[in-house]
Amino acid sequence: MKIDILTLFPGMFDGFLHESIIKRALERGQVEIQVHDIRAYSKDPHKKVDDYGYGGGQGMVLMPQPIFDAVEDLRTENSKVLLMTPQGKTYNQEIAYDLTQEKHLIIICGHYEGFDERIRTLADMEISIGDYVLTGGELASMVITDSVVRLLDGVIAKDSHIYDSFHNHLLDYPVYTKPVDFRGMKVPEVLLSGHHQKIEEWRLEEQMKRTKERRPDLLEKR
Ligand code: ADE
C-alpha cells in the first residue's frame, strides 16, 4: 500500500514515521508513506496557501489551487482520496479494515481555520476521528495511517489483531505478566493452569463481561 499525506506541517510526522511499528513497516517495505508539503504546490510567488474567507467572519481559509494541483499530481485510477475534517464520517475499526483493501490512499489534512468548500469535491470520503475539533487534520491522518498500517499483512504478528478491541464488536480481555502476585493483586488462576480451552473460555467470558459493562452499544451490533 502507498499512502500520500498532504499537510502544511510535514515536521509533525517526524516522530510518527521514525518510531516503532510504522518505522519497521516502512523499512520492510510493507507500506510506502510520503508526506508532501502543500506549500510546495502553491503557484503564488510568495507560496501563499491561504487567504481571508469571502463574506468575513472566518480566519484564514486554505485555497483550492495547491490542493487540487497536489491531488491531480499524485492521483491514479487506484487512488482513494480521504479528507480529514470534523464534519466527516466518524472513524472506526470497520472503516480501518475497509481501507486496508485500497492500493493507494491520499490523505488531505484540513486546516485549523477551514478550507475552501470546493476542496470537498476532490474527496472520495470525508473522515472525522471523533466529535472534537483539532487544530488541523495532521493528528487525524496519523490515526488513520497507524490503524490501517498495523492491519496490513505481516506488520504485526499474524492474526494477533483478531483479539483487538472492536474486532467482532468486543473489547479486549485482560492480560497479565510477571509477577504472579503484585502488591496482593493476583493473576487469575486459570491463566496459570496451562489448560488452553479453559483459558479461551475465560477470555471470551471476560470480553463479554467487559463489553457489557463499558460498551453495551457494541453488543447490540454483534
Ligand atoms: N480536523 C479537525 N478536527 C478533526 C477531527 N475531529 N477529525 C478529523 N479531522 C479533523
Side-chain angles (χ1 to χ4, degrees):
M1 175 185 277
K2 181 163 188 251
I3 305 178
D4 284 300
I5 301 172
L6 306 182
T7 173
L8 286 172
F9 305 104
M12 284 180 74
F13 294 82
D14 289 348
F16 174 62
L17 297 176
H18 298 114
E19 300 284 349
S20 187
I21 311 277
I22 300 296
K23 175 186 175 190
R24 199 180 64 190
L26 286 165
E27 284 170 356
R28 290 174 172 174
Q30 289 158 327
V31 65
E32 188 188 334
I33 303 174
Q34 275 182 10
V35 178
H36 305 267
D37 189 344
I38 292 169
R39 208 170 286 280
Y41 285 92
S42 172
K43 288 194 172 126
D44 180 85
H46 305 291
K47 296 282 169 203
K48 218 167 129 75
V49 289
D50 51 11
D51 212 327
Y52 294 101
Y54 284 117
Q58 285 263 354
M60 300 299 272
V61 176
L62 193 56
M63 297 190 293
Q65 177 274 315
I67 306 281
F68 269 73
D69 281 10
V71 170
E72 284 162 3
D73 185 33
L74 299 166
R75 193 166 51 189
T76 69
E77 66 270 25
N78 292 321
S79 308
K80 184 158 186 138
V81 180
L82 309 179
L83 178 63
M84 301 297 100
T85 159
Q87 295 184 23
K89 186 171 173 170
T90 308
Y91 192 63
N92 60 26
Q93 190 69 7
E94 218 171 305
I95 303 176
Y97 273 108
D98 287 347
L99 292 179
T100 62
Q101 303 305 305
E102 302 293 335
K103 287 194 169 68
H104 181 208
L105 299 176
I106 298 175
I107 309 183
I108 306 170
C109 302
H111 194 37
Y112 33 94
E113 308 263 26
F115 49 81
D116 188 286
E117 186 65 17
R118 290 163 288 191
I119 289 171
R120 294 211 135 90
T121 63
L122 289 169
D124 296 306
M125 190 177 188
E126 296 186 20
I127 295 181
S128 162
I129 59 161
D131 289 343
Y132 41 82
V133 181
L134 302 164
T135 55
E138 283 73 17
L139 289 170
S141 75
M142 289 185 235
V143 167
I144 307 295
T145 302
D146 187 279
S147 58
V148 170
V149 169
R150 70 184 285 284
L151 294 176
L152 297 178
D153 272 352
V155 171
I156 55 174
K158 196 167 165 26
D159 292 341
S160 73
H161 48 253
I162 67 169
Y163 298 110
D164 281 350
S165 288
F166 305 115
H167 190 88
N168 294 332
H169 306 292
L170 285 178
L171 298 181
D172 236 346
Y173 52 76
V175 295
Y176 295 85
T177 185
K178 287 172 189 139
V180 168
D181 186 336
F182 180 71
R183 300 188 180 184
M185 296 178 279
K186 296 197 175 70
V187 175
E189 283 291 332
V190 62
L191 297 180
L192 310 172
S193 69
H195 194 303
H196 292 294
Q197 198 193 327
K198 275 200 180 133
I199 292 173
E200 288 307 310
E201 283 166 12
W202 178 83
R203 285 178 169 167
L204 184 60
E205 262 169 47
E206 289 295 314
Q207 284 191 284
M208 297 295 288
K209 202 164 85 189
R210 206 159 255 217
T211 312
K212 205 168 152 189
E213 276 166 16
R214 298 179 185 209
R215 293 293 304 274
D217 56 303
L218 293 179
L219 286 179
E220 281 161 30
K221 289 188 192 151
R222 239 169 100 81

